[in-house]
Amino acid sequence: MTTESGPVDTDFLNGGFPPAARLPAAARSGPKRFFNRELSWLAFNWRVLEEAQNSNVPLLERVRFVAISATNIDEFYTVRVAGLLELATAGNQPAAADGLLPSEQLKEIGRDTRKLLTAQQKVWETLKCELEREGICLLERSGLTDQDRTFLDDVFIGSVFPVLTPLAIDPAHPFPFIPNAGFALALTLENISDARTLQALLPVPEQINRFTRLPDSEDGSCRFIPLEELLVEKIGFIFPGYRVKEECAFRVLRDSDLELEEEAEDLVREFEIALKRRRRGDVIHLSVAGGRQGGLQALIKNELKIEDGEVFDLPGMVGLADLNELVLESRPDLLWPLFSPRVPERVRDHDGDMFKAIRQKDMLLHHPYETFDMVVRFIRQAANDPDVVAIKQTLYRTSYDSPIVEALCEAAENGKSVTALIELKARFDEAANIRQSRRLERAGAHVVYGFINLKTHAKVSTVVRRESDQLVTYTHYGTGNYHPITARIYTDLSLFTCKAAAGRDATKLINYVSGYARPACLEQLSIAPIDLRSKLMQCISHETDLAKSGKPGEIWAKMNSLIDPDVIHALYEASANGVRTTLVIRGICGLRPGIKGLSENIRVKSVIGRFLEHSRIVCFGNGRRLPSTKARVFISSADWMERNLNRRVETLVEIKNRTVQEQVVSQIMAANLADQAQSWVLCPDGSYARHNGPPDQQIFNCHQFFLENPSLSGRGSAGAKDVIKLAHSQD
């Protein structure tokens, strides 16, 4: 988890490499040179939960961090743990990179998850008390007044009872099916007149809010009651003549990984069938509220056919992901201060015309600090521009009412050639993507689903425009999804260019997915699974060769996850030869930094704060110390994971424009490296340590820096003289 021992230098821009730790020679060459992927992911969620305890974070945002950590655990179990259980049950025991077998990993995961879930409950109890002091109260039914009960009568009859389906449990009524993420109350009821008992189940409809708001108190406090408390309060209405003898709230998680027939003739129909199967997957996690060990819990375990090791008795509330409902927009004093994403000055200089702004010079937008509306405007403007003849777009994830999809439909209806590459395998967004694909097809767009065995994870769009006597391709490469909602909190990069080479590469990529036309002679782009891995390895090897010859070797990289053993081995070899490698890895990291004879020249930090770090960047010194005007700079859609490099269609785009290079290296990367306020340093033993200087010390916050300072490439007539660069070229 975390450690606080000793001074921790989280400023990687200005600080040096920490002293190296020692490991036995066998550990440096064997599996122990890697951290376990699953346990590293759990460590990330410990960091997320610790933000819920950070007094520098506004109170309701801390509640949101608890909800995020709970949501993350849900997805982890329904996908990753489900896969390990399947392997262990089948007797298939391939060892992970760190040497642990699936059964061994499951034991470690179970042990750490129990600690994490218990910690979540403790943090939530603390926050609940703080919320009450701030006038936001969560009541139990014992705290209701007569006026509250009268109010809840109307709420229950009008908004809850019509969608409830109480279910008796007896030989004539077998235990009902509870879907994935299903929440229910198991009840033992006693007849008031003759004391006969009845066992029943109340599945809690997901269509109803988890928390019901009561009238504010006289002092203005907001008051809520959980739905499960409301249901028990109204049990006499649901089961007339009965009272509650025993109750047990529980929540189920099921195996949610999709299995597809590789020879499916109709891919969309196959996904629709698979999505229905997902809801009925095997139960792999049961959480029970209140730590009760009565007969109801035994009944639930028996009916769901779940082992004791997969049952989690929680001392409080199940389903903490629902706490998002308590994050009230009406209490801005308890939220992050509002900010307005910037419109790039260059776009304003051209009266909002994206094509004119891009023609002037390549432009890199840093979301959410610069508005994602510019990406939407790019497609909307293309849809209504009479000179635009074609639009091609990849869509991995997008919003329910996507303005991007709306603009593509409008473009098709306006007679433009529109091609949309929709990834049906975007986990948990499959149904939404099927819906969007049908909408696009109705509008007349060409909809392509790509490869059955590869996810198309690349974020690319091209607009072909007739200008004078030629066709000009305007290209957008992104590190994040075309999703205007997540773009408000995910930090991502959007590169706009009308350079011919970038357009040719993007067109070849789209043709590869749409027609299996394997691209050749790419100029600025590398593509997984074709040559992205080899490009990375070649660049790392080049830094190693430079260091061997006595020249500086240096790498800066930023991503969400690093677990690919081959890439890690290449970084170890680079370190052994003197290449200095600085990594910003938000989530999973399988590389063990700071080990003598293995990785003493590698340091790793994780940045977790107001925004979710999501952009992927890699900079190679190319014979110079970073930052340098001679550096090779890339942005990417891919993390350094085996799945991204081998089983996804991904992009690695080299930045050629000098101003954009400076923006990436001297602003974005430099700020992430300099951050202290939101940074955790990965220690050689796998623990994470955050800044622990004097409490009154002013420390640098990269998110605040980006909120307050414009970026280089979007500057227009105002020029870039006042743009702050945190690092300057050493050339």
Side-chain angles (χ1 to χ4, degrees):
M1 278 89 67
T2 63
T3 180
E4 296 291 341
S5 59
V8 178
D9 187 1
T10 55
D11 181 357
F12 282 7
L13 183 65
N14 302 298
F17 283 67
R22 294 187 178 275
L23 279 183
R28 296 198 303 270
S29 59
K32 293 307 175 187
R33 71 189 189 280
F34 300 110
F35 291 130
N36 181 267
R37 169 188 172 143
E38 319 304 344
L39 300 180
S40 179
W41 192 92
L42 283 169
F44 162 66
N45 278 284
W46 278 102
R47 300 196 295 281
V48 171
L49 184 61
E50 292 209 27
E51 280 303 287
Q53 304 170 71
N54 185 348
S55 60
N56 295 318
V57 174
L59 179 56
L60 287 178
E61 303 294 352
R62 291 164 64 190
V63 173
R64 200 194 307 270
F65 274 116
V66 175
I68 291 169
S69 71
T71 301
N72 287 347
I73 289 291
D74 286 353
E75 183 172 337
F76 178 57
Y77 261 79
T78 57
V79 178
R80 296 298 306 176
V81 175
L84 289 171
L85 279 167
E86 190 173 327
L87 289 174
T89 302
N92 186 1
Q93 296 271 16
D98 69 323
L100 288 180
L101 303 176
S103 55
E104 294 171 326
Q105 293 179 69
L106 287 168
K107 288 180 183 177
E108 294 292 333
I109 289 168
R111 187 179 298 117
D112 201 17
T113 299
R114 289 183 190 281
K115 294 178 183 177
L116 180 55
L117 293 178
T118 300
Q120 283 178 350
Q121 296 291 330
K122 290 179 179 177
V123 172
W124 167 234
E125 286 299 316
T126 300
L127 292 177
K128 195 160 59 171
C129 294
E130 293 189 41
L131 286 170
E132 191 167 342
R133 289 195 290 271
E134 291 290 346
I136 301 173
C137 304
L138 192 62
L139 304 182
E140 296 179 353
R141 58 187 183 273
S142 60
L144 295 173
T145 65
D146 291 341
Q147 292 90 339
D148 291 334
R149 290 186 170 88
T150 301
F151 171 82
L152 289 173
D153 283 342
D154 293 337
V155 171
F156 179 77
I157 296 299
S159 302
V160 179
F161 184 68
V163 292
L164 278 182
T165 305
L167 302 166
I169 304 172
D170 59 27
H173 301 84
F175 198 88
F177 174 76
I178 306 296
N180 180 44
F183 175 45
L185 284 176
L187 301 164
T188 297
L189 304 172
E190 184 178 65
N191 191 294
I192 295 172
S193 61
D194 59 14
R196 286 183 303 168
T197 59
L198 168 70
Q199 287 189 321
L201 204 67
L202 262 183
V204 179
E206 59 182 319
Q207 295 81 5
I208 305 175
N209 284 345
R210 178 72 180 277
F211 302 100
T212 298
R213 185 163 180 175
L214 294 155
D216 291 353
S217 62
E218 291 183 2
D219 64 1
S221 294
C222 302
R223 302 184 305 141
F224 295 86
I225 185 170
L227 184 56
E228 57 268 36
E229 290 286 311
L230 173 59
L231 293 177
V232 176
E233 171 68 22
K234 301 303 176 187
I235 209 70
F237 189 92
I238 304 169
F239 294 95
Y242 284 87
R243 59 181 167 226
V244 176
K245 186 176 181 181
E246 183 186 352
E247 63 183 273
C248 180
F250 67 96
R251 187 166 178 271
V252 165
L253 295 178
R254 294 180 179 271
D255 181 345
S256 292
D257 222 4
L258 293 182
E259 292 184 8
L260 299 175
E261 297 293 335
E262 292 192 11
E263 302 301 322
E265 293 181 8
D266 186 335
L267 191 58
V268 175
R269 181 166 178 76
E270 175 70 12
F271 263 95
E272 289 173 331
I273 295 169
L275 286 171
K276 292 175 183 176
R277 289 201 301 264
R278 168 184 282 170
R279 288 174 58 83
R280 305 191 66 89
D282 293 338
V283 176
I284 46 91
H285 184 284
L286 171 67
S287 52
V288 182
R292 299 174 180 87
Q293 294 289 340
L296 283 177
Q297 185 177 130
L299 171 70
I300 295 164
K301 286 163 52 179
N302 182 61
E303 293 291 345
L304 293 177
K305 297 178 174 58
I306 189 167
E307 301 293 331
D308 287 343
E310 293 149 14
V311 179
F312 294 81
D313 294 299
L314 303 180
M317 177 186 294
V318 299
L320 293 182
D322 295 331
L323 293 178
N324 270 323
E325 293 180 21
L326 300 179
V327 181
L328 305 176
E329 297 298 326
S330 60
R331 292 296 305 269
D333 56 314
L334 303 179
L335 297 168
W336 295 117
L338 289 176
F339 79 100
S340 296
R342 295 184 290 270
V343 174
E345 290 172 0
R346 196 190 322 157
V347 176
R348 290 204 302 264
D349 287 348
H350 291 287
D351 299 320
D353 190 320
M354 290 293 292
F355 298 131
K356 287 183 180 178
I358 297 166
R359 272 200 305 275
Q360 181 181 335
K361 189 166 60 172
D362 289 358
M363 181 168 60
L364 185 80
L365 304 188
H366 191 190
H367 311 304
Y369 315 105
E370 283 139 349
T371 177
F372 186 79
D373 287 348
M374 296 300 97
V375 179
V376 177
R377 180 180 295 184
F378 177 63
I379 303 299
R380 278 183 174 159
Q381 187 178 327
N384 295 291
D385 187 336
D387 292 323
V388 168
V389 297
I391 305 172
K392 297 184 179 184
Q393 172 93 44
T394 65
L395 289 171
Y396 186 72
R397 297 189 198 277
T398 188
S399 56
Y400 183 86
D401 294 318
S402 168
I404 296 280
V405 172
E406 182 181 337
L408 292 173
C409 289
E410 187 176 359
E413 290 162 354
N414 288 341
K416 304 183 190 308
S417 173
V418 176
T419 302
L421 305 177
I422 295 186
E423 181 47 74
L424 295 181
K425 297 183 289 295
R427 183 171 287 131
F428 302 120
D429 277 325
E430 299 94 342
N433 286 1
I434 289 172
R435 184 177 59 251
Q436 302 287 25
S437 70
R438 298 210 185 281
R439 182 180 172 195
L440 284 159
E441 285 175 333
R442 287 194 298 269
H446 304 290
V447 176
V448 179
Y449 300 113
F451 304 97
I452 186 69
N453 59 338
L454 299 174
K455 284 186 181 181
T456 302
H457 194 245
K459 284 79 177 178
V460 183
S461 56
T462 64
V463 172
V464 181
R465 192 170 186 270
R466 187 179 289 108
E467 297 180 0
S468 300
D469 59 347
Q470 62 179 347
L471 295 177
V472 177
T473 299
Y474 291 79
T475 305
H476 171 262
Y477 288 110
T479 64
N481 299 305
Y482 290 99
H483 197 308
I485 307 302
T486 58
R488 298 173 189 168
I489 55 172
Y490 285 33
T491 74
D492 271 306
L493 302 177
S494 282
L495 174 67
F496 291 97
T497 180
C498 62
K499 296 294 189 297
R504 285 191 294 268
D505 284 351
T507 301
K508 289 176 182 178
L509 166 66
I510 292 171
N511 291 347
Y512 170 53
V513 181
S514 66
Y516 299 173
R518 189 180 178 92
C521 304
L522 294 168
E523 299 164 76
Q524 193 174 342
L525 179 67
S526 298
I527 300 173
I530 298 172
D531 65 342
L532 197 158
R533 174 187 288 277
S534 60
K535 184 71 170 183
L536 278 178
M537 300 294 272
Q538 175 190 350
C539 290
I540 296 171
S541 178
H542 182 60
E543 294 298 312
T544 304
D545 291 341
L546 288 168
K548 285 179 179 177
S549 68
K551 296 180 180 178
E554 188 152 14
I555 302 168
W556 289 357
K558 176 181 180 295
M559 67 202 74
N560 303 318
S561 301
L562 166 61
I563 57 169
D564 184 87
D566 292 340
V567 174
I568 293 174
H569 179 75
L571 293 173
Y572 285 158
E573 185 178 357
S575 171
N577 286 282
V579 177
R580 300 195 314 192
T581 299
T582 301
L583 303 172
V584 182
I585 313 293
R586 186 197 77 218
I588 304 167
C589 184
L591 179 148
R592 186 188 286 266
I595 302 296
K596 189 73 174 174
L598 179 70
S599 56
E600 62 260 51
N601 290 309
I602 304 175
R603 53 186 175 176
V604 180
K605 67 151 67 175
S606 170
V607 175
I608 298 174
R610 174 172 183 172
F611 302 110
L612 183 81
E613 288 297 334
H614 193 253
S615 56
R616 291 93 167 188
I617 299 167
V618 59
C619 312
F620 297 98
N622 201 25
R624 306 290 199 286
R625 287 292 175 212
L626 291 170
S628 166
T629 58
K630 305 296 183 183
R632 297 189 70 182
V633 180
F634 301 81
I635 65 171
S636 181
S637 64
D639 291 314
W640 292 357
M641 307 172 75
E642 192 270 341
R643 71 178 190 192
N644 297 81
L645 303 181
N646 292 359
R647 301 193 304 277
R648 290 188 174 187
V649 178
E650 303 271 17
T651 57
L652 178 72
V653 186
E654 184 161 12
I655 302 297
K656 298 290 190 179
N657 179 275
R658 180 62 61 82
T659 304
V660 177
Q661 279 187 349
E662 266 197 289
Q663 179 181 345
V664 172
V665 179
S666 298
Q667 280 193 310
I668 298 170
M669 281 302 300
N672 274 272
L673 298 188
D675 181 86
Q676 297 168 294
Q678 304 166 127
S679 291
W680 301 76
V681 176
L682 176 57
C683 303
D685 64 356
S687 62
Y688 280 81
R690 67 186 314 170
H691 179 81
N692 58 0
D696 58 345
Q697 180 186 20
Q698 289 292 319
I699 55 178
F700 182 76
N701 183 315
C702 67
H703 291 170
Q704 196 61 38
F705 170 81
F706 293 129
L707 285 170
E708 295 172 353
N709 293 283
S711 58
L712 276 166
S713 67
R715 294 311 295 266
S717 56
K721 293 180 181 178
D722 62 338
V723 175
I724 296 176
K725 292 188 291 184
L726 294 172
H728 298 273
S729 173
Q730 301 185 37
D731 298 338

